[in-house]
Amino acid sequence: MPHSSIDYRFVIPSNVPARTARAPYDEGGAHADETTWGRFRDRLHWQDAPTANPDRMHRLNGLRLAACALLVLATSACNGPWNNPYPDADSDSDIYYSSFREPPRHLDPARSYATDEASFTGAIYEPPLQYHYLKRPYTLIPATATEVPEPQYLDADGNTLPDDTPAEDVATSVYTVDIRPGIRYQPHPAFAKNADGNPRYDNLTLSDMVGITRPADFEHQGTRELRAGDYVHEIKRLASPEVNSPIFGLMSAHIVGLGELRERLEAARGKLAPGESLDLTQFDFEGARVIDAHRYEIRVEGVYPQLRYWLALAFFAPVPPEVTRFYDQPALKSRNITLDTFPVGTGAYMLTENNPNQRMVLAANPNFHGQHYPSEGEAGDRAAGLLADAGKPLPFIKRAVYSREQESIPYWNKFLQGYYDVSGISDDAFGQAINIDAEGNPSLTDTMTNHGMDLATTVLPGIFYLGFNLNDDVVGGLDDSGRKLRQAISIAIDMESYIPLFLNGRGIVAQGPIPPGLFGYEDGKAGMNPVVYDWVDGEAVRKPIDAARKLLAEAGYPNGIDPNTGQSLLVNIDTPATGPEFKTQMDWMRQQFDKLGIQLVVRATTWPRFQKKIAEGNVQIYFGSGWMADYPDPENFLSQLYGPNGTAEHAGSNYANYSNDEYDRLFRQMRVMENSPERQAIIERMLTILRRDAPWQWGYFPRQYALYHQWLHNTKPNGMIQSSLKYLRLDGALRAEKRREWNAPVLWPVAAGIGLLIALLLPGFWIYRRREHGAVRRSMR
């Protein structure tokens, strides 16, 4: 519907006061006629032209503005929803829309270690391995590698050992990674070359940066094939003092010579000229070396099967030397064009816009090497439509726009309007979205069902728990007093009521430290904690409070009375939580201890202070801590209770300072084993010890709820995949239809208001018109 324009032409008498005598230009560009007052009156009478009277002009302008507003409203209604935050040209496109809360600090794969950043790094970079999108438990599969590498064991002299060699006899494990040929990087100026084959954009100056705000602004772009040396270069970057990777400490304990490489790099860095950067290609080390163009090896100390999981993280993605040289140029750094802001990868997507205070945009990498959607999954995946795209080339979505949303309510409203494709559920919106039945099962509300929403829930690979300090004189120790006191408290704290009260049901009660989806986890009776639960009618039922009181008496505190004081036993709980909701939770926690006659003192503090108290061992009981998996291996969780990882003595992650010689011995045996029935048997023995000693009240495994609009397909949450974008498919036409339906403009209030305005102006206009016409007739007589 075309827009119309209205041309207002005025005639002005020459003796009108100066403040109104400025005439507009007419169509020909000349000023409007200046004439005598008499001719002006004649023209006013015969042409019915408006007078220069300000009051009348205001009335006429009001009517004209009202007419314009109605015209604009009618015209705009033809172009779809008025509240669309995106360009109209994109309305029917297959663009994926999501959001982020905080600007990503690091997009350099050697530095990035945050969940929000993984949405981008996981889509752009390709480590050699990845996780199967559909299978559970989480299963490693090749990404750029031809296969998942198996270790070769060597003795101290470098001789090859049999695969079944005991771990204590293995000096080194060698992982050889074969890369598929033909994989190419995204277009980027770092690969552009001039006629003589040298880098085109070397030695850039500030004058070269005029008009350049991102790599795509350079006229020439290039690419090249992925090489094994790019992976080795990234491993060296983990040791670089210029990078300061957060996993250097851990990796230096496993990768041969990585710590020594760091010392060499620090020494070399001290000899560099100002502004000069380290050239890592000049430093070789034993822990990672190139065999040929498509093959490299990693050597680790002893046996460390968990390395394969690290090979699925962006820390081990390829970074070409020419890319780091390109970004090391001062002219680029002055414009904040770095690897931290514009990553370079071989993955399905590339970052085309980085405005961290407003939006980030990913576009499909035109050089992506053509992975395909999985052709198999779990039971039920086919019926759920998750295999409808089996074997099709990835990615389906060609562009993804992430807008910054700092508040949950605006995000939620835009999601309901169809302007975001997927959403979690905040506490404020939970009741609007989810119904929980008497058995605790979630379902969508009518509002969500009417919107055609899909609900997906998954238990994340993590745990939140209440911990005891085993160094404490009251709740600690491995004697009967401390052990039975912890067991009694574990029974009394009713997590079955905590989860619906404070988590809206988004969690499942933990029976031990290993979450579902990981090897070692068992469901049903086999996975039940018999210290806290009984198996009744096919389900685990928390023991009655009388059982806890009996244990408390056996611990030396009958009815919760401390024999040393004759008063209720007094214990302290430290927590980093604050705010009104926290107070409600702590009131609930006091009630749990009241069941045993124990007085609970809450000591709330800031997170840094909480961490300091934990490190100093200055706590009895602590709450508000948890652990999320770096990789899906039971070792990642069981290590949190390994004696040599104790926080107080070894500055490790074992906050409970738990140490049991038998458990530690089994842990050392289990950690170097491949998944097998033998490993499962050892894990079960370890869990039996932990449940008996109760260093944690096991708390809960968090459950994630996600809502997906009906136009988004292939949605299956995966707690290990850093970005699932390449697997998603959406129907842009259906989305546009639903947006128009859900956001149709409501015009009648505006029209009614304009109509009221016209009704108020018309009487005055006609009265004034009659008076002016009468005056004209009298003057003519």
Side-chain angles (χ1 to χ4, degrees):
M1 185 179 295
H3 292 276
S4 300
S5 62
I6 300 176
D7 177 42
Y8 296 105
R9 298 180 62 193
F10 295 90
V11 287
I12 309 295
S14 58
N15 56 348
V16 172
R19 66 176 179 270
T20 63
R22 187 69 176 172
Y25 287 90
D26 66 11
E27 292 179 5
H31 285 91
D33 297 335
E34 292 187 2
T35 182
T36 63
W37 181 250
R39 290 183 63 193
F40 176 74
R41 285 184 307 179
D42 292 344
R43 294 180 69 174
L44 172 67
H45 176 67
W46 295 109
Q47 297 182 23
D48 218 14
T51 72
N53 184 291
D55 291 335
R56 186 174 183 191
M57 293 293 292
H58 290 162
R59 293 188 184 95
L60 285 172
N61 287 342
L63 288 172
R64 288 164 177 153
L65 287 172
C68 288
L70 286 173
L71 181 60
V72 170
L73 288 174
T75 303
S76 299
C78 300
N79 295 329
W82 298 356
N83 62 346
N84 189 350
Y86 312 117
D88 288 340
D90 294 338
S91 295
D92 293 333
S93 65
D94 292 346
I95 298 173
Y96 175 79
Y97 293 103
S98 187
S99 76
F100 61 97
R101 183 181 294 270
E102 295 297 333
R105 295 179 60 228
H106 299 298
L107 296 178
D108 181 337
R111 304 176 71 188
S112 176
Y113 209 9
T115 303
D116 287 346
E117 297 163 357
S119 299
F120 305 105
T121 58
I124 295 167
Y125 292 111
E126 280 192 301
L129 304 181
Q130 60 185 338
Y131 290 96
H132 195 285
Y133 183 55
L134 300 177
K135 288 184 178 180
R136 306 293 183 275
Y138 301 110
T139 304
L140 282 174
I141 60 173
T144 61
T146 59
E147 60 184 359
V148 178
E150 295 293 335
Q152 181 184 41
Y153 299 138
L154 305 178
D155 64 17
D157 297 323
N159 299 313
T160 302
L161 297 172
D163 292 342
D164 58 355
T165 300
E168 56 270 21
D169 296 333
V170 176
T172 308
S173 298
V174 181
Y175 290 84
T176 301
V177 183
D178 289 290
I179 302 300
R180 287 190 288 113
I183 298 173
R184 304 189 72 80
Y185 284 97
Q186 68 182 67
H188 195 272
F191 303 117
K193 294 184 178 182
N194 54 30
D196 58 8
N198 293 320
R200 182 178 289 273
Y201 296 112
D202 204 6
N203 300 317
L204 293 170
T205 64
L206 291 179
S207 62
D208 296 324
M209 298 303 297
V210 175
I212 302 295
T213 61
R214 56 179 183 162
D217 292 335
F218 286 94
E219 179 182 0
H220 299 278
Q221 306 284 313
T223 185
R224 73 158 170 81
E225 187 180 26
L226 171 66
R227 302 170 188 156
D230 302 335
Y231 286 100
V232 172
H233 186 251
E234 170 66 357
I235 296 173
K236 293 178 186 177
R237 296 184 73 243
L238 301 180
S240 174
E242 297 178 340
V243 175
N244 290 319
S245 174
I247 69 165
F248 165 72
L250 176 62
M251 289 297 107
S252 64
H254 294 290
I255 297 179
V256 174
L258 194 66
E260 184 267 338
L261 175 63
R262 175 64 169 263
E263 295 175 359
R264 291 163 53 201
L265 293 175
E266 287 178 338
R269 189 186 187 194
K271 300 177 182 178
L272 295 176
E276 190 178 0
S277 298
L278 289 168
D279 181 1
L280 298 183
T281 63
Q282 302 301 310
F283 297 84
D284 294 327
F285 83 112
E286 185 182 358
R289 69 181 189 90
V290 176
I291 300 174
D292 58 40
H294 298 105
R295 181 182 299 176
Y296 70 101
E297 70 176 24
I298 303 174
R299 293 177 174 244
V300 299
E301 303 280 0
V303 176
Y304 185 55
Q306 289 76 24
L307 178 73
R308 283 173 295 195
Y309 296 116
W310 286 102
L311 295 181
L313 294 175
F315 291 113
F316 288 84
V319 173
E322 53 261 63
V323 166
T324 56
R325 283 196 296 268
F326 175 81
Y327 282 130
D328 278 339
Q329 298 180 82
L332 288 167
K333 291 180 179 178
S334 70
R335 295 294 183 94
N336 195 31
I337 301 176
T338 69
L339 192 59
D340 246 353
T341 54
F342 288 100
V344 183
T346 62
Y349 294 92
M350 55 186 188
L351 187 68
T352 58
E353 182 178 338
N354 184 353
N355 183 353
N357 291 316
Q358 185 175 355
R359 74 174 196 167
M360 313 276 285
V361 178
L362 293 173
N365 174 9
N367 298 332
F368 186 56
H369 52 92
Q371 292 184 14
H372 295 80
Y373 191 86
S375 298
E376 57 182 352
E378 289 186 294
D381 283 348
R382 188 172 300 279
L386 289 169
L387 289 170
D389 292 316
K392 294 180 180 179
L394 301 174
F396 302 111
I397 293 171
K398 303 305 181 185
R399 191 163 179 257
V401 175
Y402 296 81
S403 302
R404 188 179 182 192
E405 293 283 359
Q406 295 178 272
E407 302 295 334
S408 60
I409 293 177
Y411 178 91
W412 177 251
N413 290 335
K414 291 177 185 177
F415 171 70
L416 293 182
Q417 293 163 347
Y419 297 123
Y420 288 123
D421 297 315
V422 62
S423 177
I425 309 174
S426 67
D427 291 338
D428 293 335
F430 195 86
Q432 183 183 0
I434 302 296
N435 290 321
I436 303 293
D437 63 21
E439 286 74 35
N441 300 313
S443 62
L444 292 173
T445 62
D446 291 342
T447 301
M448 299 298 106
T449 301
N450 293 338
H451 268 62
M453 297 283 188
D454 290 326
L455 171 66
T457 68
T458 186
V459 180
L460 296 175
I463 185 172
F464 291 91
Y465 60 89
L466 179 144
F468 302 94
N469 181 7
L470 271 290
N471 289 342
D472 183 73
D473 293 337
V474 177
V475 302
L478 295 180
D479 58 359
D480 280 348
S481 177
R483 180 185 291 117
K484 291 188 176 183
L485 172 60
R486 296 190 298 273
Q487 291 176 356
I489 294 173
S490 296
I491 294 172
I493 299 176
D494 183 7
M495 294 307 297
E496 284 80 5
S497 66
Y498 178 89
I499 291 171
L501 280 173
F502 300 109
L503 303 176
N504 287 315
R506 288 175 286 187
I508 64 172
V509 176
Q511 304 284 344
I514 303 175
L518 273 67
F519 182 85
Y521 174 83
E522 290 188 285
D523 205 352
K525 186 176 182 179
M528 184 190 72
N529 179 3
V531 174
V532 177
Y533 290 86
D534 293 319
W535 191 255
V536 179
D537 296 331
E539 62 179 358
V541 177
R542 186 173 293 271
K543 290 181 182 292
I545 194 64
D546 286 343
R549 291 172 179 151
K550 181 175 182 296
L551 286 168
L552 189 64
E554 293 173 358
Y557 305 100
N559 299 316
I561 301 300
D562 185 347
N564 296 321
T565 64
Q567 304 293 320
S568 295
L569 177 64
L570 185 71
V571 297
N572 301 311
I573 186 169
D574 283 88
T575 177
T578 57
E581 184 177 346
F582 150 76
K583 183 180 183 302
T584 304
Q585 290 188 36
M586 289 301 100
D587 287 343
W588 177 89
M589 190 67 76
R590 287 190 186 95
Q591 294 173 8
Q592 309 307 300
F593 282 77
D594 283 345
K595 299 175 189 175
L596 299 174
I598 298 175
Q599 184 179 352
L600 182 67
V601 177
V602 177
R603 303 193 299 192
T605 186
T606 63
W607 179 254
R609 176 61 181 159
F610 175 75
Q611 291 287 87
K612 187 173 187 294
K613 294 179 77 171
I614 288 285
E616 295 171 346
N618 188 23
V619 296
Q620 275 190 304
I621 304 173
Y622 58 97
F623 182 68
S625 185
W627 185 260
M628 298 298 293
D630 293 306
Y631 46 85
D633 189 86
E635 179 265 352
N636 198 225
F637 288 88
L638 297 175
S639 65
Q640 306 309 302
L641 292 164
Y642 179 51
N645 286 341
T647 301
E649 185 176 351
H650 305 287
S653 57
N654 178 359
Y655 288 0
N657 298 301
Y658 173 68
S659 181
N660 180 299
D661 291 342
E662 177 64 9
Y663 176 86
D664 291 347
R665 183 186 67 80
L666 292 171
F667 176 82
R668 287 188 291 270
Q669 184 178 353
M670 177 279 307
R671 73 182 304 179
V672 298
M673 297 178 68
E674 301 289 347
N675 290 341
S676 63
E678 292 75 20
R679 195 184 197 210
Q680 179 67 44
I682 292 176
I683 290 172
E684 290 173 3
R685 290 165 59 189
M686 295 172 69
L687 293 178
T688 298
I689 295 171
L690 290 178
R691 288 162 177 160
R692 182 197 66 207
D693 288 347
W696 294 353
Q697 200 280 354
W698 300 107
Y700 65 93
F701 303 125
R703 183 189 294 273
Q704 181 188 63
Y705 283 35
L707 289 172
Y708 302 97
H709 278 297
Q710 57 192 289
W711 53 76
L712 193 64
H713 304 284
N714 300 334
T715 54
K716 183 174 182 177
N718 187 310
M720 282 292 113
I721 288 181
Q722 293 185 303
S723 173
S724 59
L725 179 61
K726 68 182 178 182
Y727 299 103
L728 302 179
R729 175 174 55 83
L730 62 82
D731 184 341
L734 176 60
R735 179 173 62 189
E737 175 188 334
K738 292 300 178 182
R739 282 179 178 175
R740 287 190 290 269
E741 176 184 335
W742 298 338
N743 300 280
V746 181
L747 297 180
W748 70 262
V750 179
I754 293 174
L756 179 61
L757 175 64
I758 294 173
L760 291 173
L761 290 175
L762 277 176
F765 169 74
W766 288 115
I767 291 172
Y768 191 81
R769 179 182 175 86
R770 290 181 60 187
R771 186 176 67 186
E772 289 296 306
H773 276 245
V776 169
R777 284 193 294 270
R778 285 193 299 272
S779 66
M780 293 181 67
R781 288 196 296 267

